Amino acid sequence: MSATVQPSSIAVGARLRVGFVCFGRATFDVDAANELARQSMFALQRQTVTIRAAEHLVTSVHTAEDLAEAWAGEVDVLLAQFTTFVDGRFIDVMAKRLSVPVIVWGIREPNQHPGERLSLNSLTGANMAAARLNRIGTPFLFLYGNPDEPGFDARLNGRLRYWLAWKRLRQFTIVTLGDAPDGFHFSMPGPSAQSILGIDVKHINLNEIFERALRLDSKEITTQLDLVQQKVRGISRLPEENVQKFARMMTVLQADLQEMDADAVAVRCWPEFFTEFGAAACSTLSALIDQGVMASCEADILGALSMDVLHLLSGSPAYLGDLVEVDESQQAVVFWHCGAGAFSLAREDTGAVAGVHPNRNVGFTLEFGLKPGRVTILRIGEAADGSVRALIGEGEVLDVPQRFRGTSATVRLDGETSVFDRVSRVIQEGFEPHYALAYGSVSMELEQLLHSYSIPTTKF
């Protein structure tokens, strides 16, 4: 079963190294177990991960020890399938040596003939392993089902995404393009929050990247120009210089982020982009997010982390917006920003439309209302004492027109409590004014993830 599957370029730093092992015991149906192991490998290969896999069923504790020794430091998560029942020693030796989270995978019992022996007894093995992992303090998730059954790929993908997000909350590399604008004190987290979250901040000088972007040959930016013309409407109505400068900045910044192995980027989007570069940063951020690299405006580092965690859990590009309006008639709030938003988040009837900044009248920005659908809201932030906390919510983006120039979403929040009271409480508790949202319902996973790091959460 040995194989290596390289991750896609969905995000610059999004890669998960999975160690895959199938445990078996010779007293069970080994032929059926081998076939299930083979099918399971194909299922894992459909995921966007890097794989280290055992060649055969692991049927001895000694072999499990050897595998753990070989994989130490080389995997981020252990996917352990109990293809048949084995005792707790197998998972014990691997978990202790690898010191990584585990996905405990139980297989359905294939023998459906009443009164006959269990042919695999996989679930008991998985149950025993979970009990042992709980006892020794190794974080784990349970996965149940066969690799060929409907919905299995999505369940496996959800577990893998969870551990990628879990990894991000202990090791997050972010590039800041310039410093925070004056007065945006929340954009740079304090030393305590940076230490708790394992944040590694790398910097790019604004003037230096402006100069490099402007020096590019026109042939070097054709790819970005072609892509944006396919995805954004109304490009031809803008000054050509604005669109050219977008393509130049995208080309340079993408290469920098790749070289710096960045997980995300936080950009000082004003005033220098307008006054020195002569173009809005909004379109660059939008294009990056659409390609899977989360990018925050106003150099908001924890905003970018909030976006990234949501993106990893949900698979959706995340949106970062100000909380600008309370609509009691619909029990809704409006999230808005000047003109940044992944192209794919736009309403289908309008699509992503090119525009100019509402305050600066410089292009190009994005103009659209977000498409209707269920979203999860997250803000990872700091408490007054410098510790880390989070705000979590869910709701429905309503099927209503774009509320203000720029990009916006009108979100009806879940729950019966007055939206006025909820917004008042969130602001009274001092949460930062940038909120991330992504399509999908992942608040339960978020709560579990944050709880595993002892990060207190507040419900929106």
Side-chain angles (χ1 to χ4, degrees):
M1 289 196 303
S2 181
T4 299
V5 179
Q6 294 300 325
S8 76
S9 57
I10 290 174
V12 174
R15 53 182 65 91
L16 192 69
R17 303 171 301 171
V18 179
F20 179 45
V21 59
C22 295
F23 294 124
R25 178 165 285 175
T27 54
F28 291 95
D29 188 343
V30 174
D31 289 340
N34 280 321
E35 176 58 23
L36 280 164
R38 186 184 69 83
Q39 294 175 17
S40 299
M41 186 65 198
F42 291 147
L44 185 55
Q45 287 174 335
R46 293 193 290 269
Q47 305 292 328
T48 305
V49 293
T50 299
I51 304 169
R52 295 286 299 273
E55 294 280 355
H56 307 287
L57 280 178
V58 172
T59 58
S60 74
V61 176
H62 177 69
T63 303
E65 288 176 320
D66 289 345
L67 268 182
E69 190 64 35
W71 292 352
E74 300 295 324
V75 298
D76 301 311
V77 62
L78 176 65
L79 176 58
Q81 182 186 95
F82 291 80
T83 324
T84 79
F85 170 83
V86 294
D87 61 70
R89 293 173 298 163
F90 289 73
I91 199 65
D92 186 82
V93 297
M94 294 202 76
K96 287 180 176 177
R97 180 65 184 93
L98 293 174
S99 297
V100 297
V102 178
I103 300 173
V104 176
W105 184 354
I107 292 290
R108 296 185 188 276
E109 175 57 38
N111 189 346
Q112 298 300 306
H113 301 293
E116 295 189 6
R117 69 184 292 268
L118 283 164
S119 60
L120 297 179
N121 197 20
S122 169
L123 188 56
T124 300
N127 196 165
M128 183 177 289
R132 184 57 185 163
L133 292 171
N134 181 66
R135 185 66 177 269
I136 64 178
T138 297
F140 70 93
L141 293 175
F142 176 56
L143 174 68
Y144 186 58
N146 288 16
D148 60 348
E149 66 185 56
F152 180 81
D153 282 2
R155 296 203 301 275
L156 174 57
N157 183 260
R159 275 34 169 215
L160 295 170
R161 283 189 172 279
Y162 179 92
W163 291 121
L164 190 55
W166 183 88
K167 179 184 175 185
R168 196 70 97 235
L169 282 176
R170 65 189 304 179
Q171 184 181 351
F172 181 60
T173 300
I174 185 160
V175 168
T176 57
L177 187 54
D179 300 320
D182 293 345
F184 280 66
H185 305 293
F186 68 89
S187 289
M188 174 63 73
S192 178
Q194 290 191 43
S195 176
I196 291 167
L197 296 168
I199 297 175
D200 178 19
V201 182
K202 300 179 180 181
H203 300 279
I204 296 176
N205 179 273
L206 269 180
N207 289 328
E208 186 268 338
I209 199 171
F210 290 163
E211 292 173 4
R212 285 192 289 124
L214 293 173
R215 285 200 304 266
L216 287 178
D217 187 275
S218 58
K219 294 179 181 178
E220 298 178 80
I221 64 173
T222 55
T223 298
Q224 293 299 336
L225 288 173
D226 290 344
L227 284 173
V228 77
Q229 286 167 355
Q230 293 170 22
K231 295 188 175 184
V232 179
R233 302 176 184 179
I235 289 285
S236 61
R237 297 195 298 266
L238 295 176
E240 184 179 355
E241 180 186 13
N242 291 165
V243 183
Q244 292 271 335
K245 286 183 177 179
F246 151 79
R248 290 175 180 278
M249 180 55 64
M250 260 306 275
T251 301
V252 172
L253 186 53
Q254 267 193 325
D256 285 356
L257 296 177
Q258 187 73 46
E259 182 179 347
M260 300 169 84
D261 198 24
D263 297 316
V265 61
V267 178
R268 178 185 173 101
C269 50
W270 62 272
E272 290 83 2
F273 260 86
F274 301 109
T275 60
E276 304 300 325
F277 189 56
C282 306
S283 47
T284 299
L285 272 62
S286 301
L288 286 170
I289 298 166
D290 206 56
Q291 295 175 23
V293 180
M294 298 304 102
S296 64
C297 50
E298 293 161 332
D300 181 3
I301 289 175
L302 293 184
L305 177 59
S306 302
M307 296 173 75
D308 201 35
V309 169
L310 272 181
H311 167 60
L312 294 175
L313 283 177
S314 69
S316 162
Y319 176 77
L320 189 71
D322 294 336
L323 179 59
V324 299
E325 188 174 45
V326 179
D327 182 351
E328 291 98 323
S329 68
Q330 301 189 85
Q331 284 296 292
V333 295
V334 176
F335 296 107
W336 166 90
H337 243 147
C338 313
F343 312 144
S344 57
L345 298 185
R347 293 174 54 89
E348 288 188 13
D349 57 350
T350 65
V353 180
V356 296
H357 194 275
N359 300 329
R360 304 275 180 163
N361 289 317
V362 175
F364 85 89
T365 62
L366 277 301
E367 291 284 335
F368 60 78
L370 271 65
K371 61 188 178 183
R374 173 147 291 274
V375 291
T376 302
I377 302 161
L378 173 65
R379 175 68 210 192
I380 299 172
E382 294 176 272
D385 62 0
S387 61
V388 178
R389 62 178 181 169
L391 178 75
I392 300 174
E394 281 200 27
E396 196 80 19
V397 177
L398 300 180
D399 189 3
V400 296
Q402 174 185 353
R403 182 69 182 89
F404 302 104
R405 280 185 60 189
T407 55
S408 61
T410 301
V411 182
R412 178 184 290 132
L413 300 175
D414 288 356
E416 300 301 323
T417 306
S418 158
V419 68
F420 182 91
D421 292 343
R422 290 154 83 171
V423 170
S424 298
R425 174 174 52 81
V426 165
I427 293 178
Q428 186 65 49
E429 292 185 11
F431 278 97
E432 297 85 344
H434 284 170
Y435 303 82
L437 61 87
Y439 286 83
S441 179
V442 294
S443 58
M444 289 181 61
E445 292 88 339
L446 265 178
E447 288 183 27
Q448 182 178 352
L449 180 66
L450 293 163
H451 177 74
S452 72
Y453 282 106
S454 300
I455 295 173
T457 59
T458 296
K459 286 287 186 69
F460 202 148

